[in-house]
Amino acid sequence: MTRLSVNINKVATLRNARGENNPDVVAFAVACEQLGAQGITVHPRPDERHIRYSDIPELRRVVTTEFNIEGYPSEEFLELVTANAPEQVTLVPDKPGQITSNSGWDVRANADFLSTVTARLKDYGIRVSIFVDPDPAQVAAAREVGADRVELYTKAFADGYAADRDAAVAPYVEASAEAARCGLGVNAGHDLNLDNLRFLAMRLSLLNEVSIGHALIADALYLGLPETLRRYLLQLNN
């Protein structure tokens, strides 16, 4: 079964627009879990334009499934996650001020840095996933630096899905197969939605978890949260 982790960044963006606590991101995370989500994902950025660093301890207290914190492993970020011990940390090569993640790591070029960060996180018992493009060489490199999983950056798949879904998914099939050979778990995320999710899940030989935020929150505006989560879970497990 592929697990669904709901990225609640967009809920925090809406909250921050008014400067108050409506919507309440902590209550929203609890509601997602009660409705069947198997994880909660957040991606705190240095400017705190959505999830704030102060949200993390509050979320850690209530998330009972799997808490996944994404981000660039600056010293401030590493201190935050080691103090709150999520089940998983996803290392992302974001630059400060970047609107959204738009590429995976060049793991080989950053091997020394990522090895040090990964070892530090695993000392705290935290599973480490590295955000990579669907490139078998980068998947293999992630294993070499000590990662437990890779998260495949799925924007290229989503962009190419309508024109030729078989061609769009082919690099991800290859990357997933390489992960299996390396003994790595596989996560996936970015621009996954109700149109393309089932096909991706069916075609990958290994897919532990998907992290979905923007599309899921947008769908919830039209469908309501219970129906939205029901549909996403159905895409993964039907």
Side-chain angles (χ1 to χ4, degrees):
M1 184 180 73
T2 301
R3 297 166 64 92
L4 171 65
S5 186
V6 177
N7 186 320
I8 62 172
N9 277 12
K10 286 297 186 293
V11 180
T13 301
L14 182 59
R15 174 199 63 185
N16 295 353
R18 289 292 294 268
E20 299 173 351
N21 194 37
N22 186 27
D24 183 331
V25 296
V26 175
F28 190 88
V30 170
C32 288
E33 289 189 316
Q34 290 173 342
L35 292 165
Q38 295 115 343
I40 299 297
T41 292
V42 294
H43 189 149
R45 286 183 165 89
D47 60 10
E48 297 192 318
R49 63 181 179 270
H50 34 63
I51 288 294
R52 300 170 181 149
Y53 275 38
S54 61
D55 292 325
I56 303 302
E58 295 184 42
L59 287 163
R60 175 65 287 180
R61 283 192 288 271
V62 302
V63 172
T64 60
T65 53
E66 178 178 288
F67 194 24
N68 173 45
I69 304 180
E70 301 179 343
Y72 180 82
S74 65
E75 182 59 32
E76 184 179 20
F77 177 85
L78 291 171
E79 290 176 2
L80 176 74
V81 297
T82 54
N84 291 280
E87 283 72 29
Q88 178 174 269
V89 168
T90 301
L91 304 178
V92 181
D94 279 352
K95 298 176 182 177
Q98 194 165 319
I99 294 175
T100 188
S101 305
N102 60 15
S103 66
W105 285 95
D106 183 339
V107 183
R108 293 192 184 281
N110 294 277
D112 291 343
F113 174 60
L114 290 172
S115 295
T116 300
V117 168
T118 298
R120 178 173 172 181
L121 292 170
K122 293 177 80 169
D123 282 345
Y124 284 83
I126 301 169
R127 182 197 311 136
V128 178
S129 178
I130 296 181
F131 194 68
V132 297
D133 295 320
D135 177 350
Q138 296 297 341
V139 172
R143 182 69 184 91
E144 291 169 8
V145 302
D148 303 293
R149 292 187 183 180
V150 289
E151 179 172 332
L152 301 178
Y153 175 47
T154 49
K155 180 171 174 55
F157 163 73
D159 288 348
Y161 179 79
D164 188 338
R165 63 184 186 176
D166 290 316
V169 82
Y172 296 87
V173 172
E174 187 177 359
S176 176
E178 178 63 22
R181 286 191 289 270
C182 292
L184 290 175
V186 175
N187 300 338
H190 209 92
D191 287 355
L192 297 176
N193 56 43
L194 288 173
D195 293 327
N196 59 36
L197 180 58
R198 177 178 291 180
F199 183 74
L200 180 75
M202 289 174 58
R203 292 296 303 273
L204 296 195
S205 60
L206 173 67
L207 184 58
N208 296 102
E209 174 186 296
V210 293
S211 174
I212 304 178
H214 184 87
L216 189 152
I217 302 305
D219 288 334
L221 295 176
Y222 296 99
L223 302 171
L225 185 60
E227 177 62 13
T228 296
L229 283 174
R230 187 191 73 81
R231 293 191 188 190
Y232 274 90
L233 291 166
L234 186 64
Q235 300 306 305
L236 290 172
N237 300 306
N238 185 20

